[in-house]
Amino acid sequence: MKTVSILLTALFPGALAFSAQSAAPASSNKVAPFEIDSEKAFAESVFPIKPDDLINRAKEVLGPDINIGISDGGRCIADDFEFCAPVVGPIGKDAYLEALEGFKLQDNFDITQNMFGFTVSPVQPYRVYFFSHQTAKQVQPFLGVQPDDTKELILPPQCHHLDFDEEGKVKEFGFYTVDRRYGNTGGLGGAFGYFYGVGKPIPIPECQPYKPSFRFRTLQFINKVFSKKKKED
């Protein structure tokens, strides 16, 4: 092998250098024109908790010993906390804890969170974003439905966020469905997905799978008519 290297160097002086350059990984710090310079943003941030530490705090808060206030009696939650989801909230600390205690989802379902993609927003350096691909199997009677009467629930992927104050307490928690066509809960996330999944959706439009309004369907129909006529002309 050494002889081959010497021969290559003699015949093609730039060959080995070129090979080494090609093998070197591309810089991961290059910022695209459409991308935020995260390193610069975090360097200029005055928020005292650094991104890696904030992500670790988020994972701690999500863990079984705290569980976003359920397991620690709400000690991880700031007094001015708000929960805000697509159709619920903002609601305060006490209402949030009471709602979770009333649902008892974790008592009635074996839930696999499947979380991933933890990142800190360079625009809101106090906020941790992450995704979940929840699946759940009913293990106790829920809303009058027996476990044997339900299949495994597959919720749509959801994007969650946790906002923290300077002491590491949670100021805001929320989530939004990012792909309503995935899963078997009608595109609904959160508790609404569980209600729908066991066949007991709350009878209001917000707790049903998305359906375009009559006006929107009418506009779509008119657009199709005009588009067809334009092609014919």
Side-chain angles (χ1 to χ4, degrees):
M1 183 66 182
K2 184 177 181 180
T3 303
V4 174
S5 298
I6 293 172
L7 183 59
L8 282 173
T9 303
L11 294 175
F12 308 102
L16 294 181
F18 177 79
S19 177
Q21 290 175 1
S22 299
S27 173
S28 60
N29 296 325
K30 185 176 180 181
V31 179
F34 51 80
E35 186 181 10
I36 294 175
D37 189 338
S38 296
E39 290 187 4
K40 180 181 178 182
F42 290 133
E44 295 175 348
S45 170
V46 297
F47 190 69
I49 306 176
K50 299 304 180 184
D52 288 346
D53 294 332
L54 201 64
I55 289 174
N56 289 334
R57 175 57 177 163
K59 292 180 179 180
E60 180 183 27
V61 166
L62 292 164
D65 293 336
I66 298 180
N67 206 5
I68 323 182
I70 299 175
S71 301
D72 72 339
R75 288 189 296 275
C76 72
I77 297 177
D79 291 337
D80 58 349
F81 166 88
E82 288 185 329
F83 170 80
C84 190
V87 298
V88 175
I91 60 175
K93 177 178 179 178
D94 292 339
Y96 163 78
L97 292 173
E98 288 174 7
L100 292 183
E101 181 63 27
F103 292 151
K104 296 187 180 299
L105 294 178
Q106 294 180 340
D107 294 339
N108 295 309
F109 293 87
D110 181 9
I111 302 173
T112 302
Q113 295 287 354
N114 293 322
M115 293 178 177
F116 64 98
F118 287 80
T119 188
V120 176
S121 168
V123 178
Q124 299 165 286
Y126 49 82
R127 171 170 290 192
V128 177
Y129 281 109
F130 55 96
F131 294 87
S132 70
H133 257 295
Q134 284 185 20
T135 60
K137 179 62 180 175
Q138 186 179 346
V139 294
Q140 296 290 341
F142 181 68
L143 300 178
V145 179
Q146 299 301 315
D148 292 340
D149 296 334
T150 62
K151 56 187 176 182
E152 181 184 43
L153 303 185
I154 303 174
L155 278 71
Q158 299 169 87
C159 179
H160 307 251
H161 70 268
L162 285 168
D163 291 358
F164 292 90
D165 63 17
E166 296 182 353
E167 297 178 355
K169 289 194 173 184
V170 181
K171 282 180 62 69
E172 183 173 312
F173 171 52
F175 56 85
Y176 296 82
T177 295
V178 295
D179 183 0
R180 60 184 170 85
R181 299 196 298 173
Y182 182 90
N184 59 9
T185 61
L188 300 170
F192 294 166
Y194 288 82
F195 298 158
Y196 183 87
V198 301
K200 295 289 185 177
I202 300 175
I204 57 175
E206 291 81 0
C207 295
Q208 306 293 326
Y210 169 73
K211 180 180 179 181
S213 66
F214 174 75
R215 289 182 179 180
F216 189 39
R217 296 197 304 271
T218 301
L219 289 173
Q220 287 180 314
F221 174 75
I222 293 172
N223 183 59
K224 287 181 180 179
V225 171
F226 276 97
S227 296
K228 182 178 181 181
K229 188 175 186 305
K230 187 176 180 180
K231 289 180 181 180
E232 292 175 349
D233 293 343

